Amino acid sequence: MNSSRDAFLKGLTTGQKEHSGKGKRLIVLHIGSTDGFVPGGLLCFESKTNSTDYHDEMNGDTFYEWFVRILPLLKENAVIVMYHSVKKCKIPTMSWKKKILCNGVAITT
């Protein structure tokens, strides 16, 4: 087919032009490698809301729980490349007290 007009004339469709924003979302996370998808690495769930903002359900806590769960599934010396991330602890600064740094106390945000 050369155009959407050709598709129309043949009784076909080229698909929805714009997302309707209606209905629930399917949220999918998986991890793969050169060997394919990692068995047990899938997180897939249907959004509980019809909202266009899915961040209440797919947030840093959900991602962190999934990520911690899949780490033992990876091969030794695996390299992880992320496009999204979340900061779980404050990064030490020069103003931190020596006692806190020496005790290894993590201050969560």
Side-chain angles (χ1 to χ4, degrees):
M1 255 162 277
N2 297 326
S3 68
S4 57
R5 184 176 180 341
D6 289 342
F8 174 77
L9 292 173
K10 293 181 180 174
L12 303 173
T13 178
T14 56
Q16 189 172 341
K17 298 289 183 211
E18 294 180 28
H19 186 277
S20 69
K22 297 178 183 175
K24 296 183 179 180
R25 294 180 182 265
L26 187 61
I27 298 171
V28 180
L29 278 88
H30 211 320
I31 187 162
S33 71
T34 55
D35 299 330
F37 286 114
V38 175
L42 175 65
L43 172 64
C44 180
F45 62 94
E46 184 177 350
S47 171
K48 292 181 178 66
T49 107
N50 287 330
S51 168
T52 57
D53 184 13
Y54 57 89
H55 292 95
D56 288 339
E57 295 172 271
M58 188 57 237
N59 54 34
D61 291 334
T62 304
F63 176 82
Y64 182 79
E65 289 169 14
W66 169 79
F67 189 71
V68 169
R69 181 179 59 80
I70 60 98
L71 283 176
L73 305 176
L74 303 179
K75 290 182 177 179
E76 190 173 329
N77 295 322
V79 175
I80 300 169
V81 179
M82 283 193 210
Y83 295 104
H84 292 81
S85 63
V86 63
K87 180 174 74 171
K88 294 300 283 182
C89 297
K90 288 185 178 178
I91 297 171
T93 66
M94 293 298 286
S95 65
W96 278 31
K97 304 288 183 197
K98 182 178 178 181
K99 183 178 178 181
I100 292 173
L101 291 171
C102 290
N103 290 334
V105 176
I107 302 172
T108 58
T109 56

